[in-house]
Amino acid sequence: MLAGGDGPPGPGARPPLSMWAPVVAWVAGAAILAVVLLAVVPEPGPLDDPDEAAQRSGVLLSGPPVGDLSLPGDPVGRRPVVLVFDRRLPDPDALERFVDGVADGALVVLAVPEPGSAAVPELPPRTRLLSTGAGRLAAATGMPEPRDGGFPVGYAIVGPQGRLRYATLGPTYLRRPYEIAVLTEALR
Amino acid sequence: MTAGYRPLRPRGLAVQAVLLLGVEAVLLASYLGQDAGFHWSTHFLVGLLVAAVWNLVWLLVAAAPAPGQLAVIVAFHLFAMVPDLLFRAAVAPHEAWMDVFLGHISAHEIPGGDETWLILALVGSGVYAAVLAAWVRARRLEADAGMPPGVGIGGGGVVRPQHDPASTPLAHWLHGTRLPPDVLLLHGLAASARVWARVAPRLADDGHAVLTCDLLGFGRSRRTGTRFGLDDQVDALLGLLDHHGAPRVLVVGHSWGCAVAARLAERAPARVSGLVLVSPPVFHDAEEARERLRLRGRLAAQVVDRSPVASITCGLMCLMRAPLARLAPRWAGDLPPEVVRDSFEHSWPAYRDALGSLFADNPLPGALAHPRVTTVVVVGEDDTEAPAADVLDHPHDRVEVRVVATDHLLPLRRPDVVQAAVAAAPLLY
């Protein structure tokens, strides 16, 4: 801590700044901040959560049991299940990269409202497609409604104990499988 | 450059500004790449607010700007985003306890979201900018008056310039009906002229013209002066005597005021007709003085050791002066409330320099061993702060020493004894 006596101040010693300098610096800083916040940081999009704080919070929940969910493939309760909600089937390559990035051992279930039976591509390993009831699943897992009011795009995570541990909107989820990996890894 | 001005050096600030803009640009780009611009803005605004509060509190407590004026914004922002770094490094997801990082988890939940944080950050930093501008203005006005800067002077001295003791006399009071004054009463450490409230009227009744004053940095002279060594006090006292046309006075000092009185007699013996030293703190040497002053309490020990804790504690007390002054009389037993209240009316540099003068610059041993003027000493046999034995064990052949049954607050407990000592001292006109 600086004390007054740290250096013997001489008579007439002046501060090296004008008294206006702090005020000018504050005005300049506020202007830069305004430009950054208004022009650089993007506004939420139509697929984002109206409550920005709720989107990708990174905090695991201690949610309700979801054991009665009817899912294709392995039943809930043995390993983490990642429920991916989207309005259309993702690009196969992007989906494969995404599934590869998710932690080993997790089951990925795609819930798409209208997948289109003729266009279903081959799915990566550990991936299932929920062909019907995507809306009911979204409601059952408490997926938030996006700003445009449509079907949610994001994901939910059900823990090995069969409880809902995470549910978030995330329109660009395919680019960040590591997020899901960190969350599912913490559930082991 | 004066240490207190170092954090405001333009070159240092420019480097920090470049650092701030560069680091924040990288962080913003990183967050935007993760579609998380919202999180960058929240934690940056929180970091900016905390940095403003940090700088403001430092300025108010230390009465000097904090180091790293702008760099601290980056530091607090980085601290606030530690959970994001842990997440990105696949160490751990967010958890509730991570609120220790400047509310990392719940900061997003504030009503109004980032708009609220923006307002808070702008208000906080704006208040700090205004206070810092006032601090710079005060120091520049002091410099314009040819004074050393009042770096470290807290309370109102943070935003207002100190008065120049060369042009502003010490706060003072005259007792008696005639002029010029022939008796000057000097208070002790962390005290004021009110310590003489029971003595001055008695001396006036005896026909003296009594002058009491608050020394530089104390009582109602708290805002006068920026240096508080014994010679600075003597300069101010000589100015006060000139102000009243007093050619010569009997100087009565209490405790540390005895050191001021002795220095006055040393420097201007022609202006001092005699000394009455009440409870003088006399030490054989500087090391003994340090040891003894350390025993006065934890805070005194910190001051003697020039510990930063002392300046922080005193800075905090400075901020709390009003409530402390209001509450303290309730804990002070039989002492007059106004005397207790005035014990908080001083600046930290004044207290520090006054205490320091007792071990670094104490003229009292010399004044007792080789008095330049007629000297009478009055000590209390129950005084633990300035024990009678210290005076009696010290060479004092040409000094009359009176020991009475009381403690250190002799002017309050036994004003009659002080009155008698003054009556006994020869007044030479």
Side-chain angles (χ1 to χ4, degrees):
Chain A
M1 170 75 71
L2 182 68
D6 285 351
R14 296 167 69 84
L17 290 180
S18 153
M19 64 168 282
W20 295 110
V23 178
V24 170
W26 181 82
V27 171
I32 293 172
L33 189 56
V35 169
V36 170
L37 292 180
L38 291 175
V40 180
V41 177
E43 285 290 303
L47 297 181
D48 284 317
D49 197 315
D51 177 5
E52 289 181 285
Q55 185 164 320
R56 295 165 60 209
S57 70
V59 182
L60 287 167
L61 310 169
S62 184
V66 290
D68 58 344
L69 287 180
S70 167
L71 297 174
D74 294 8
V76 170
R78 289 217 302 261
R79 56 183 176 176
V81 178
V82 181
L83 305 172
V84 174
F85 298 90
D86 207 334
R87 294 184 181 182
R88 57 184 174 81
L89 280 171
D91 172 75
D93 292 339
L95 179 62
E96 188 169 348
R97 284 194 299 274
F98 173 77
V99 173
D100 283 348
V102 172
D104 287 344
L107 178 70
V108 177
V109 175
L110 282 172
V112 181
E114 296 174 7
S117 57
V120 175
E122 186 179 344
L123 296 173
R126 295 186 289 111
T127 307
R128 307 285 186 272
L129 176 65
L130 185 70
S131 53
T132 58
R136 281 199 307 277
L137 184 62
T141 52
M143 284 296 289
E145 184 176 290
R147 294 164 72 92
D148 69 358
F151 188 74
V153 178
Y155 59 91
I157 297 174
V158 178
Q161 310 303 320
R163 287 181 172 274
L164 180 69
R165 302 304 304 274
Y166 200 72
T168 184
L169 296 180
T172 54
Y173 69 91
L174 284 172
R175 300 211 314 254
R176 283 181 301 281
Y178 80 88
E179 284 188 3
I180 300 173
V182 172
L183 294 165
T184 53
E185 190 65 27
L187 293 175
R188 286 175 180 270
Chain B
M1 178 176 290
T2 299
Y5 293 159
R6 203 168 292 147
L8 301 183
R9 278 189 297 200
R11 182 182 297 179
L13 290 174
V15 169
Q16 291 176 57
V18 170
L19 174 80
L20 173 64
L21 293 173
V23 171
E24 291 303 337
V26 170
L27 291 177
L28 176 58
S30 167
Y31 273 76
L32 289 176
Q34 300 296 323
D35 293 326
F38 164 73
H39 291 265
W40 173 86
S41 53
T42 301
H43 300 307
F44 174 76
L45 292 171
V46 171
L48 177 60
L49 173 63
V50 174
V53 171
W54 168 269
N55 278 334
L56 180 63
V57 170
W58 188 296
L59 182 61
L60 294 178
V61 172
Q69 290 280 295
L70 298 174
V72 75
I73 300 172
V74 177
F76 278 119
H77 185 194
L78 289 174
F79 181 70
M81 55 179 280
V82 164
D84 289 344
L85 298 175
L86 295 176
F87 197 109
R88 193 66 186 88
V91 174
H94 288 5
E95 295 179 35
W97 67 265
M98 291 179 178
D99 263 341
V100 298
F101 296 103
L102 305 188
H104 185 93
I105 306 300
S106 47
H108 299 296
E109 308 289 345
I110 191 172
D114 277 359
E115 288 178 13
T116 301
W117 285 122
L118 176 62
I119 292 169
L120 290 174
L122 288 179
V123 169
S125 54
V127 167
Y128 174 64
V131 174
L132 181 63
W135 185 87
V136 170
R137 176 178 174 273
R139 304 294 81 82
R140 291 178 81 89
L141 287 173
E142 289 161 359
D144 290 344
M147 301 163 67
V151 177
I153 295 178
V158 169
V159 293
R160 289 181 299 188
Q162 293 289 105
H163 300 304
D164 183 359
S167 56
T168 303
L170 295 169
H172 61 276
W173 296 264
L174 284 165
H175 306 262
T177 55
R178 64 181 180 83
L179 286 172
D182 61 354
V183 176
L184 173 64
L185 305 181
L186 304 179
H187 62 80
L189 185 60
S192 73
R194 284 182 167 138
V195 79
W196 299 113
R198 294 171 183 173
V199 172
R202 288 169 177 263
L203 298 180
D205 289 345
D206 288 346
H208 293 293
V210 181
L211 181 60
T212 61
C213 67
D214 289 346
L215 290 163
L216 291 177
F218 293 90
R220 279 126 292 181
S221 298
R222 181 162 54 88
R223 290 197 52 221
T224 304
T226 55
R227 298 180 87 165
F228 309 98
L230 291 181
D231 286 316
D232 301 301
Q233 301 288 0
V234 168
D235 287 341
L237 286 170
L238 290 172
L240 183 63
L241 295 179
D242 291 343
H243 181 74
H244 285 287
R248 232 166 168 223
V249 288
L250 174 74
V251 185
V252 183
H254 173 235
S255 191
W256 166 73
C258 296
V260 180
R263 178 56 57 85
L264 177 60
E266 196 177 280
R267 274 189 46 194
R271 306 292 295 271
V272 179
S273 61
L275 289 177
V276 174
L277 305 178
V278 181
S279 311
V282 181
F283 308 102
H284 287 99
D285 54 45
E287 195 46 46
E288 186 204 5
R290 284 191 174 86
E291 288 305 316
R292 295 286 300 281
L293 291 171
R294 282 193 188 100
L295 298 177
R296 290 184 63 161
R298 192 169 295 173
L299 182 57
Q302 303 282 3
V303 175
V304 170
D305 296 335
R306 298 188 80 83
S307 160
V309 175
S311 65
I312 294 170
T313 305
C314 290
L316 289 171
M317 289 175 71
C318 210
L319 287 179
M320 302 284 290
R321 179 179 284 128
L324 285 174
R326 200 178 181 89
L327 291 171
R330 301 182 187 183
W331 311 321
D334 60 341
L335 292 177
E338 61 275 14
V339 171
V340 180
R341 277 196 288 271
D342 273 6
S343 67
F344 294 95
E345 289 294 327
H346 57 269
S347 68
W348 153 241
Y351 181 88
R352 177 198 61 205
D353 292 352
L355 197 64
S357 69
L358 291 181
F359 57 80
D361 197 22
N362 192 341
L364 286 169
L368 291 185
H370 311 288
R372 290 170 180 248
V373 297
T374 304
T375 302
V376 176
V377 176
V378 185
V379 289
E381 62 184 18
D382 302 322
D383 191 340
T384 55
E385 296 187 38
D390 284 0
V391 173
L392 296 171
D393 292 348
H394 198 83
H396 61 277
D397 295 345
R398 293 162 54 202
V399 172
E400 179 187 345
V401 179
R402 301 179 176 194
V403 182
V404 293
T406 188
D407 59 16
H408 191 65
L409 296 173
L410 208 149
L412 291 167
R413 312 268 192 231
R414 297 296 304 274
D416 57 315
V417 173
V418 180
Q419 180 185 20
V422 170
L427 298 176
L428 308 173
Y429 294 100

